[in-house]
Amino acid sequence: MTFAPELAPSILSADFAHLADQVLLAEVGGGTIVHVDVMDGHFVPNITLGPPVVKSLRRATRLPLDCHLMIENPDEFIPAFADAGADWVSVHYEACRHLHRTLQLIADHKMKVGVVINPATPVDFLVDVLPMVHHVLVMSVNPGFGGQKFIANSLAKIAHLRTLRAELGLGYRIEVDGGVDLQTIASVVQAGADLLVAGNAVFGHGDPTANARELLAAARQAALPSA
Ligand code: DX5
Ligand code: ZN
């Protein structure tokens, strides 16, 4: 099973005072998923936003809101994200004492279920929950900040997830997050990623529409079967 690559602009690097406009610019450039980084200052050393901002975004775009929870005790907040209008919610393996229960809670709230692993966490730790998830997010930087350098070992993890998907006959999407830019996007697509999160490369400089368009073109090119 393969999926056409999709671009998920991460608003972490956007101008938060003009979020609706920034999301629209990225959408015009071909972004089809809005990646929303939620940080609590405990699980990661940074603080961003919570359900009120998701609620506002919900009114500003029809694109799916992909909420990446980098927080401790996600169970306490999943209902609030559902109420705010989140479409996809992913939680970190490293933050969940009872991961199966947390993933089930997301599903019970009618949202797409995602699980995330940090650079130091092996893919094999997820085998027992893979049948429950809509997407697996491979962190290709340590979570907490935009604009960090891509960790090359992530490519092997993406490829491993692709192999497992075929072997197990599953249909989850493979998402990559961190350091995805014009230099790295072809390699992540060739490894098997189909949901491409990009923050700094879309919003960090220049025109988000042109940046998104260029990234997506490079991803689509990399996805073509080689001659
Ligand atoms: C980092 C966040 C990412 C971040 C990626 O913890 O999860 O979504 O926005 O930023 P870039 O694309 O700038 O590496
Ligand atoms: Zn993220």
Side-chain angles (χ1 to χ4, degrees), residues 47-218:
I47 298 175
T48 54
L49 55 89
V53 175
V54 172
K55 192 173 175 189
S56 295
L57 279 169
R58 179 70 293 151
R59 290 193 291 258
T61 181
R62 284 191 292 189
L63 296 181
L65 301 176
D66 168 26
C67 296
H68 172 193
L69 303 190
M70 289 162 273
I71 62 175
E72 291 180 358
N73 306 317
D75 298 32
E76 291 178 21
F77 298 95
I78 284 164
F81 281 100
D83 289 346
D87 301 282
W88 303 7
V89 165
S90 58
V91 292
H92 272 256
Y93 170 87
E94 303 84 7
C96 297
R97 184 166 291 174
H98 303 289
L99 179 61
H100 184 285
R101 175 183 287 149
T102 304
L103 298 177
Q104 188 58 53
L105 185 64
I106 299 169
D108 289 345
H109 284 82
K110 313 281 182 242
M111 299 181 290
K112 302 279 191 215
V113 180
V115 66
V116 192
I117 46 172
N118 275 338
T121 303
V123 164
D124 286 330
F125 287 6
L126 300 179
V127 166
D128 288 286
V129 297
L130 289 177
M132 303 175 72
V133 303
H134 165 267
H135 57 292
V136 179
L137 173 45
V138 174
M139 286 306 302
S140 42
V141 299
N142 285 292
F145 303 95
Q148 302 182 81
K149 189 176 176 315
F150 183 81
I151 297 173
N153 175 46
S154 319
L155 296 174
K157 294 167 79 171
I158 292 166
H160 189 177
L161 279 164
R162 175 161 68 176
T163 303
L164 277 175
R165 181 170 65 192
E167 283 176 4
L168 301 172
L170 297 173
Y172 54 79
R173 311 285 302 268
I174 303 172
E175 186 171 29
V176 60
D177 184 6
V180 173
D181 59 18
L182 282 176
Q183 277 67 50
T184 56
I185 200 161
S187 60
V188 298
V189 170
Q190 280 157 5
D194 49 71
L195 297 170
L196 312 165
V197 177
N200 194 51
V202 173
F203 295 111
H205 56 90
D207 170 15
T209 301
N211 294 339
R213 199 169 276 148
E214 220 178 336
L215 285 164
L216 199 55

